[in-house]
Structure formats: structure tokens, C-alpha cells
């Protein structure tokens, strides 16, 4: 199913421009995951976006299923956006590759509203060890594939502080996103503090 990847990369470059860097990570027993880096100037604000390439080769399958369907099932890639030049965010590459490999390694089905935890800061000094999976379709449109394959969805990752992640477990993803909105949280700030959660 590797022929999916050129289509995925083409969709990413159509939406985000040409990548200015790429790195590959391979974990034992998994396919290679690449992470592409894109720079974008948004009204004078330099934003760097990291997108995985390789997660969508296989559909994600329910770990409780007796037999994994090699064709049907949701497919996704992950996209993280942060303000450039404020932190060593390029070190996030390994964490992103770990998250992208988790469906193969752990049988995870990554869906909007889910929390993904890497257990360590996303980059050196980051106040985040986990991310909230956002809704697809905003930044990069879904990529339709030929039947019977499911479309590839490009899922934005929103970094969460440990307090926000704990609060989200109790109150849900929607409530946390409302808190972010109400407090004007800049989710692209690599040094962002937790929003008030009282």
C-alpha cells in the first residue's frame, strides 16, 4: 500500500508548500515514518508545521478485532503547528514519529478528541508531554482514495500541559477547547502556560 504515500505527500505540499526539511525514523517491527517540516509566514508571524508521512500506509484497526482488515479502516497523518524560532521544536520529530507509529505498535485508533501522551517534553523545555487530537479538514483537506480504501485524514495536534491533560480526562475535549477559546490561548506558542481550569 506504499503507493498511498506519494498522494499524501502531494496533498501536504499543495496545502502547506514545499517542505524545507525531512527526517525518517524507523522503529523495530514498523514501517518507516517520515516527518516533513514546512515554514509559513502568517501575517508576519513565522509558523513551522510538522507533518508525519507513513502513518496512513496501513488502516488503523480496532485492537479488539479478531482479524485486522488490511484494506478498510481509518487512515490518518498528524500535523503539529508552532511558532518558529522560540524553542528547539525540531526535536519534536521523534515524538511525532512515535505517535504516528502507535497504531502499528500499540493497535491504537487515533481519533479527534483523543489524548496522546509521549511521557517526555515534546521538545527540550516544552511545558507539554501530550497532545489533543483536533478535528481534520481545516488546514489540510482529507485525501480521498479509491474504493474500498478510507480517506486519509490530516489530524491537527494541539499541545496540552499536564494540568490540561488531567482536566480533559475528567471534563472532555470539547470543554478544554472551550477553555482555550475563552482564555484566548495561543495554541502555537511553544512556551504557552496552562489556561485557568478552576
Amino acid at each position: 500500500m506504499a503507493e498511498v504515500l506519494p498522494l499524501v505527500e502531494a496533498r501536504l505540499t499543495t496545502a502547506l508548500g514545499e517542505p524545507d526539511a525531512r527526517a525518517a525514523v524507523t522503529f523495530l517491527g514498523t514501517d518507516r515514518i517520515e516527518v516533513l517540516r514546512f515554514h509559513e509566514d502568517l501575517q508576519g508571524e513565522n509558523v513551522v508545521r510538522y507533518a508525519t508521512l507513513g502513518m496512513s500506509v496501513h488502516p488503523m484497526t480496532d485492537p479488539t478485532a479478531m482479524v485486522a482488515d488490511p484494506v478498510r479502516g481509518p487512515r490518518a497523518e498528524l500535523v503539529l503547528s508552532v511558532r518558529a524560532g522560540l524553542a528547539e521544536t525540531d526535536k519534536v520529530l521523534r515524538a511525532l514519529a512515535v505517535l504516528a507509529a502507535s497504531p502499528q505498535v500499540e493497535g491504537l485508533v487515533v481519533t479527534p478528541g483523543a489524548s496522546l501522551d509521549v511521557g517526555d517534553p515534546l521538545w527540550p523545555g516544552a511545558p507539554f508531554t501530550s497532545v489533543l487530537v483536533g478535528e481534520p479538514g481545516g488546514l489540510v483537506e482529507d485525501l480521498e482514495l479509491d474504493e474500498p480504501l478510507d480517506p486519509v485524514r490530516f489530524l491537527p495536534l494541539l499541545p496540552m500541559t499536564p494540568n490540561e491533560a488531567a482536566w480533559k480526562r475528567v471534563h472532555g475535549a470539547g470543554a478544554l477547547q472551550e477553555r482555550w477559546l475563552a482564555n484566548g490561548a495561543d495554541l502555537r506558542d511553544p512556551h504557552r502556560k496552562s489556561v485557568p481550569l478552576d
Side-chain angles (χ1 to χ4, degrees):
M1 300 311 298
E3 63 269 16
V4 168
L5 294 187
L7 300 174
V8 171
E9 185 167 351
R11 176 56 52 92
L12 284 168
T13 54
T14 298
L16 305 177
E18 286 296 324
D20 66 356
R22 62 199 306 147
V25 181
T26 306
F27 303 103
L28 193 63
T30 68
D31 293 323
R32 185 169 93 145
I33 302 285
E34 283 192 276
V35 180
L36 311 184
R37 186 181 71 190
F38 304 85
H39 272 97
E40 190 173 346
D41 193 3
L42 296 174
Q43 292 133 7
E45 180 182 82
N46 198 0
V47 172
V48 61
R49 304 191 194 279
Y50 302 94
T52 63
L53 181 64
M55 181 177 172
S56 59
V57 170
H58 303 288
M60 294 181 277
T61 53
D62 185 336
T64 61
M66 294 294 284
V67 179
D69 189 324
V71 176
R72 294 178 192 277
R75 294 172 190 264
E77 298 289 354
L78 308 174
V79 182
L80 173 71
S81 301
V82 289
R83 279 200 270 149
L86 303 179
E88 290 183 84
T89 54
D90 280 356
K91 300 280 177 70
V92 79
L93 299 179
R94 185 165 179 82
L96 284 178
V98 167
L99 296 178
S102 60
Q104 284 186 67
V105 176
E106 301 170 38
L108 269 184
V109 178
V110 178
T111 56
S115 301
L116 302 175
D117 198 318
V118 294
D120 291 307
L122 293 177
W123 52 82
F128 320 106
T129 59
S130 62
V131 292
L132 174 67
V133 181
E135 292 289 337
L139 188 61
V140 185
E141 283 184 30
D142 295 351
L143 171 64
E144 298 293 336
L145 300 174
D146 292 338
E147 289 287 345
L149 305 184
D150 285 32
V152 177
R153 303 194 187 288
F154 298 88
L155 302 172
L157 300 181
L158 311 172
M160 294 188 290
T161 66
N163 284 348
E164 289 170 340
W167 196 84
K168 181 256 174 188
R169 277 194 292 276
V170 175
H171 299 280
L176 177 59
Q177 288 174 303
E178 283 172 20
R179 282 292 170 111
W180 283 339
L181 202 57
N183 288 278
D186 179 1
L187 300 180
R188 294 195 294 252
D189 180 354
H191 300 296
R192 181 180 68 79
K193 301 279 190 282
S194 183
V195 295
L197 299 168
D198 305 330

